[in-house]
Amino acid sequence: MSLIRKCLITPAEPSPITVLNLLRASRSIKNLEQVHTHIIQKGYEQDHFIINQFISLCNTFSSDVSYATGVFEHVIQPNVYVWNTLIKGYSKKSSLADCFLVLKQMKRSMNVVPDKYTFPSLVKTCSSALALREGQIIHGLIVRYGTDSDVFVGSSLIDLYGKCKQIEYARRIFDEIPLKNEVIWTAMIVAYIYVSDLSEARKLFDEMPQRNVASWNAMIRAFVKFGDLFSAKQLFDSMPDKDVVSFTTMIDGYAKAGDMASARFLFDQSFDRDIISWSALISGYAQNGQPNEAVKIFHEMLSMNVRPDEFIMVSLMCACSQLGRLDLANWVEHYMSQNSFDLNQVHIAAALVDMNAKCGNMERATMLFEGMPKRDLVSYCSMIQGLSIHGCSSQAVDLFDRMLNEGLVPDDVSLKIILTACSRAELVKDGCRIFNLMKNKYSVKHSPDHYACIVDLLGRSGKLKDAYELIKSMPVEPHAGAWGALLGACKLHCDIEVGEEISRRLFELEPQNTGNYMLLSDIYAAANRWLDVALLRQKMSEKGLRKIPGCSWVWNNL
């Protein structure tokens, strides 16, 4: 049954009120099309109130402005409210140039003058695009039409100048507004945060005559942004009324700082949870190496009939990648297919590739990878790492070369991934070629981690002297990982001379790391130098170092 048949109670000709009820009952563009036909048939195309409501719903349900524009163009003399609604739709869904064209048409209209509701959406569009010049043009019109004293117009201008790092202009507007409400105060605080002036933001916050929840949340978010969780928690605790945003901001802050215990405590304390709260906790567990907890919270969320969004699913796929559980990966992909997630979105497709590759389903990962309309650095790295993990390092090198041929520029992370792949398979020639290529052609600065990968590669291949010379020639100070990689290679190839030199350096860098002592002890033991083993263990005893019972000391591969 059509929407109109459902809403019409009697066959009598409907009134405008009935048409408005039809509009309120609309839930899609298809519904609006039914009502539109009815509007045309009954001659309500010139009813400003009805058309204004119709265009507003077009802005809500349609992905572009074409339908709303078509309806608007049939209005002979639209009033300012209809114009403002059309401009609001353009501001959200069209280009800045198109917004200016509509505004220009409005100014030319004989019976309409822009008012205080005309400009905020346009200024917001300029802010989003960081279009300072265009924003200044709008500001000039705001002054011309006398709407600059309005608090909502003023707050939008403060936001524009704050985002564009023009804090003096923002402060001037703030100071010139005679009657300031919480919206204006909060906008100015946020503007200072945009330019990283946290002290001035806090000063203004303390001066506010009255604060609303938004102003508290803005200040808490600022402290979280700059890593001052102590001040953020102090402010959070002193809030008279907290909302879901307050809790989620703190949960996200603790999660990003790696303090999942505090994040979980606040999550459990929150009286109201939205999808963003769940997402902050699940992504926090996934990003902090606690994939089992991420999966557990996801199932808890499902049990409470909360439907996950695409960001939660990406976090869940990240957790699956860490667990390497193919059964769980298959379930996740099936769940997404059954619940109408768009698997072709770039970030979802990349997460699917990464999950399948790290869970061992390289066939599925390859199919998804090749089916991507555009492959980026992240998706390439996922495939390269998956191939490396599952013993296909030569294919990983071929894929890396293909990535370069497609014009993608590698970064330090992708270089570390491919060098690790070469190290696992002892592909010395390829590893050295890529190492030199990154510096000479792509100007990627070699980090200590990159050198550690090459040292590992050379050491595994028995080229201990070359690896040792490379460490000594490094332009940056080598970290313990590079020395540890070489010591592990010395154990593998029973090289006592180099092993002793490396151990002395490691004992200086990591005096409390028992593993380094045990590696040297194993090297001595393999050469039947038991007196040296005894002396080394005596030295460990004097330093209070003990081998953990039942633990096989192995070198931690990069």
Side-chain angles (χ1 to χ4, degrees):
M1 185 183 294
S2 72
L3 177 72
I4 292 174
R5 287 184 179 180
K6 286 181 179 179
C7 292
L8 289 179
I9 301 173
T10 66
E13 186 165 321
S15 67
I17 294 176
T18 307
V19 175
L20 288 172
N21 287 334
L22 289 171
L23 286 173
R24 293 188 187 102
S26 297
R27 295 292 180 269
S28 67
I29 283 294
K30 185 176 180 181
N31 292 157
L32 285 183
E33 289 172 347
Q34 293 175 2
V35 181
H36 191 197
T37 302
H38 193 63
I39 289 171
I40 294 171
Q41 289 176 345
K42 304 306 175 184
Y44 293 135
E45 284 185 286
Q46 304 307 316
D47 188 310
H48 288 163
F49 191 77
I50 289 176
I51 293 302
N52 189 50
Q53 296 297 310
F54 191 93
I55 291 175
S56 179
L57 288 170
C58 283
N59 293 340
T60 301
F61 298 138
S62 180
S63 60
D64 57 42
V65 293
S66 57
Y67 192 12
T69 304
V71 172
F72 176 84
E73 288 174 347
H74 283 83
V75 183
I76 296 173
Q77 286 189 329
N79 64 13
V80 67
Y81 303 108
V82 178
W83 275 105
N84 287 345
T85 303
L86 182 70
I87 287 174
K88 190 174 182 180
Y90 268 80
S91 298
K92 289 180 178 179
K93 299 180 179 179
S94 194
S95 67
L96 194 55
D98 288 342
C99 291
F100 269 84
L101 286 175
V102 177
L103 180 61
K104 188 175 181 181
Q105 291 172 14
M106 181 184 184
K107 286 168 57 185
R108 287 178 176 174
S109 181
M110 299 298 294
N111 64 325
V112 173
V113 176
D115 63 9
K116 63 183 181 180
Y117 299 106
T118 306
F119 299 109
S121 59
L122 289 169
V123 176
K124 186 177 181 180
T125 303
C126 294
S127 299
S128 299
L130 299 180
L132 178 60
R133 179 178 171 276
E134 290 80 358
Q136 289 173 326
I137 292 171
I138 298 294
H139 189 183
L141 292 173
I142 287 169
V143 174
R144 176 182 171 186
Y145 287 105
T147 62
D148 49 319
S149 61
D150 179 76
V151 291
F152 291 102
V153 173
S155 63
S156 67
L157 286 171
I158 291 170
D159 182 70
L160 165 72
Y161 288 119
K163 284 182 178 176
C164 294
K165 313 298 183 185
Q166 302 292 321
I167 196 65
E168 298 85 3
Y169 287 107
R171 185 59 193 249
R172 189 181 305 168
I173 292 167
F174 174 80
D175 290 337
E176 290 176 355
I177 293 176
L179 298 174
K180 301 178 181 67
N181 63 3
E182 293 93 337
V183 175
I184 285 289
W185 282 89
T186 304
M188 193 63 231
I189 288 169
V190 172
Y192 278 119
I193 295 167
Y194 285 142
V195 296
S196 302
D197 193 343
L198 192 58
S199 61
E200 197 63 35
R202 181 59 194 264
K203 179 183 175 184
L204 205 63
F205 177 81
D206 291 336
E207 292 173 0
M208 284 184 73
Q210 285 185 312
R211 304 179 187 123
N212 58 13
V213 175
S215 56
W216 284 92
N217 286 340
M219 202 64 235
I220 291 171
R221 192 180 299 111
F223 282 123
V224 168
K225 176 184 176 182
F226 291 101
D228 188 354
L229 286 174
F230 178 79
S231 297
K233 186 61 165 60
Q234 278 190 322
L235 212 58
F236 176 82
D237 289 340
S238 62
M239 270 186 89
D241 297 301
K242 303 176 180 67
D243 65 2
V244 65
V245 176
S246 317
F247 278 94
T248 303
T249 301
M250 289 303 304
I251 291 166
D252 188 54
Y254 279 121
K256 287 178 178 174
D259 186 356
M260 289 309 300
S262 296
R264 181 60 190 269
F265 176 78
L266 280 178
F267 181 82
D268 291 337
Q269 294 294 311
S270 60
F271 51 86
D272 185 23
R273 299 166 186 166
D274 61 8
I275 194 68
I276 302 174
S277 306
W278 289 97
S279 182
L281 190 66
I282 292 171
S283 66
Y285 278 125
Q287 291 166 10
N288 284 288
Q290 299 182 54
N292 283 313
E293 286 298 318
V295 175
K296 181 181 176 182
I297 295 298
F298 176 80
H299 285 297
E300 182 181 330
M301 183 189 71
L302 290 186
S303 70
M304 299 181 69
N305 295 319
V306 179
R307 187 184 185 278
D309 62 9
E310 60 194 76
F311 302 105
I312 287 180
M313 296 311 300
V314 168
S315 295
L316 183 63
M317 286 188 277
C318 176
C320 290
S321 298
Q322 294 174 53
L323 291 169
R325 283 181 51 188
L326 185 56
D327 60 330
L328 184 58
N330 290 336
W331 181 89
V332 170
E333 191 165 351
H334 176 74
Y335 177 87
M336 294 179 71
S337 299
Q338 292 295 108
N339 288 275
S340 304
F341 283 92
D342 183 2
L343 304 186
N344 293 318
Q345 290 188 71
V346 175
H347 61 295
I348 292 179
L352 282 168
V353 169
D354 184 67
M355 179 179 69
N356 280 282
K358 289 178 180 174
C359 290
N361 191 350
M362 290 307 302
E363 183 179 350
R364 175 64 176 157
T366 302
M367 187 180 77
L368 289 165
F369 177 78
E370 297 296 346
M372 293 177 72
K374 186 178 180 181
R375 290 171 286 274
D376 59 8
L377 199 60
V378 173
S379 54
Y380 262 105
C381 284
S382 295
M383 283 296 295
I384 291 168
Q385 197 166 25
L387 289 167
S388 171
I389 290 170
H390 299 291
C392 304
S393 293
S394 294
Q395 291 173 282
V397 171
D398 292 340
L399 192 62
F400 183 82
D401 288 333
R402 174 183 160 185
M403 181 186 82
L404 299 182
N405 291 332
E406 287 191 7
L408 290 173
V409 178
D411 59 6
D412 59 337
V413 175
S414 56
L415 178 55
K416 184 178 178 181
I417 288 171
I418 189 60
L419 291 177
T420 301
C422 292
S423 177
R424 283 190 171 121
E426 299 182 20
L427 302 175
V428 177
K429 184 177 179 181
D430 285 316
C432 291
R433 171 180 64 83
I434 292 169
F435 184 80
N436 293 323
L437 182 68
M438 292 305 99
K439 180 181 178 181
N440 298 331
K441 183 175 180 179
Y442 293 97
S443 301
V444 175
K445 186 178 179 180
H446 290 150
S447 70
D449 284 342
H450 299 149
Y451 278 100
C453 288
I454 289 294
V455 168
D456 181 20
L457 171 61
L458 294 171
R460 284 174 183 255
S461 305
K463 301 180 181 295
L464 299 177
K465 297 289 185 183
D466 293 338
Y468 190 33
E469 291 302 318
L470 178 64
I471 285 185
K472 291 193 291 185
S473 67
M474 282 175 59
V476 293
E477 185 67 27
H479 56 44
W483 293 110
L486 188 52
L487 183 59
C490 290
K491 176 190 172 183
L492 183 67
H493 297 285
C494 299
D495 192 317
I496 297 174
E497 181 184 352
V498 177
E500 287 179 326
E501 291 186 48
I502 302 302
S503 295
R504 282 193 288 272
R505 184 61 63 91
L506 277 170
F507 295 160
E508 293 174 4
L509 288 173
E510 300 179 319
Q512 300 301 312
N513 188 339
T514 315
N516 296 326
Y517 287 90
M518 296 310 302
L519 276 173
L520 181 59
S521 176
D522 289 344
I523 293 172
Y524 285 145
N528 292 320
R529 290 175 53 170
W530 300 108
L531 178 59
D532 290 319
V533 171
L535 291 172
L536 189 61
R537 292 190 176 181
Q538 182 181 349
K539 186 176 181 181
M540 289 174 63
S541 180
E542 291 171 356
K543 290 179 174 289
L545 301 176
R546 294 180 57 204
K547 177 182 176 181
I548 299 173
C551 177
S552 176
W553 292 97
V554 293
W555 163 44
N556 182 25
N557 291 327
L558 289 170

